[in-house]
Amino acid sequence: RKEVEQDPGPFNVPEGATVAFNCTYSNSASQSFFWYRQDCRKEPKLLMSVYSSGNEDGRFTAQLNRASQYISLLIRDSKLSDSATYLCVVNKGGGADGLTFGKGTHLIIQP
Amino acid sequence: DAGVIQSPRHEVTEMGQEVTLRCKPISGHDYLFWYRQTMMRGLELLIYFNNNVPIDDSGMPEDRFSAKMPNASFSTLKIQPSEPRDSAVYFCASSFSHQPQHFGDGTRLSIL
């Protein structure tokens, strides 16, 4: 099983729609979880951290399910500017500081 | 505030040549990470430093790769000799303690 697994997409979604991605991780020792966003030919940028109780930042909601080892990202009222690749990221756990990145889910918002 | 600064932005060189990538982390950050990104393998952690000390280099592909951090404001990643399969985008990232990482713009490396 891959350490962090995501559906690569692409997800083609009309503007204004709600879209959700899931991500699964294999290391039960992982303690920190993030969603990063990467635009074409740009560096990854932190979108939001993911907390056990779930958290929201504007139109974005992140959820963590430790029992099933998956993380989700929900985007409401999608905008054209949300088109990007969304990377699911978990720390390596066990006191290690490195991060493991999923290969990303490609999202295309269509007008 | 200045972010993570990488140089060069682009590098094209012939196989067998030595390649040196440079990174200046955000001032005050105590962690520095080197990543490589390809279409096939995605973003992979190569090595990271804490307070200038290499902590985990298990991601370094082979002996041709080496990384140093002589001080808190500078790190290098060297490939010698370079091979076409080393072609990728190399990112440097830094963080303070266990806060989220901030990435540089990356170096696009092409080995002919």
Side-chain angles (χ1 to χ4, degrees), chain A residues 34 36 38 41-44 46 49 87 92 95-99 101-103, chain B residues 31 33 35 37 40-43 45 48 56 91 98 100-101 103-105 108:
Chain A
F34 310 93
Y36 274 71
Q38 187 171 24
R41 301 181 73 82
K42 296 287 190 179
E43 76 278 17
L46 177 68
S49 300
L87 304 168
K92 291 184 179 293
D97 299 298
L99 296 178
F101 284 74
K103 288 190 178 181
Chain B
Y31 282 85
F33 305 81
Y35 292 90
Q37 187 173 35
M40 288 295 294
R41 301 173 68 89
L43 200 60
L45 176 64
Y48 76 90
D56 182 359
F91 287 105
H98 296 96
Q101 298 173 20
F103 283 72
D105 291 338
R108 296 187 176 279

Side-chain angles (χ1 to χ4, degrees), chain B residues 2 24-31 50-51 69 72-73 94-97:
Chain B
K24 176 179 168 55
I26 293 172
S27 178
H29 282 191
D30 55 349
Y31 282 85
N50 177 221
N51 291 322
M69 191 165 186
S73 59
S94 71
S95 69
F96 173 70
S97 186

Side-chain angles (χ1 to χ4, degrees), chain A residues 5-97:
Chain A
E5 204 150 1
Q6 296 182 250
D7 181 343
F11 283 47
N12 289 284
V13 174
E15 191 177 7
T18 295
V19 60
F21 316 132
N22 286 336
C23 154
T24 57
Y25 62 95
S26 61
N27 186 354
S28 59
S30 294
Q31 294 293 322
S32 302
F33 309 90
F34 310 93
W35 283 102
Y36 274 71
R37 169 190 170 134
Q38 187 171 24
D39 292 291
C40 187
R41 301 181 73 82
K42 296 287 190 179
E43 76 278 17
K45 291 184 178 178
L46 177 68
L47 178 65
M48 58 195 303
S49 300
V50 186
Y51 303 118
S52 297
S53 55
N55 49 299
E56 192 173 305
D57 183 1
R59 298 181 293 109
F60 298 83
T61 300
Q63 298 274 358
L64 168 65
N65 185 319
R66 285 188 187 272
S68 301
Q69 294 182 204
Y70 81 78
I71 305 157
S72 65
L73 177 68
L74 181 80
I75 306 175
R76 290 182 300 277
D77 187 23
S78 53
K79 312 290 185 191
L80 295 176
S81 57
D82 294 334
S83 297
T85 297
Y86 290 83
L87 304 168
C88 176
V89 186
V90 305
N91 81 320
K92 291 184 179 293
D97 299 298

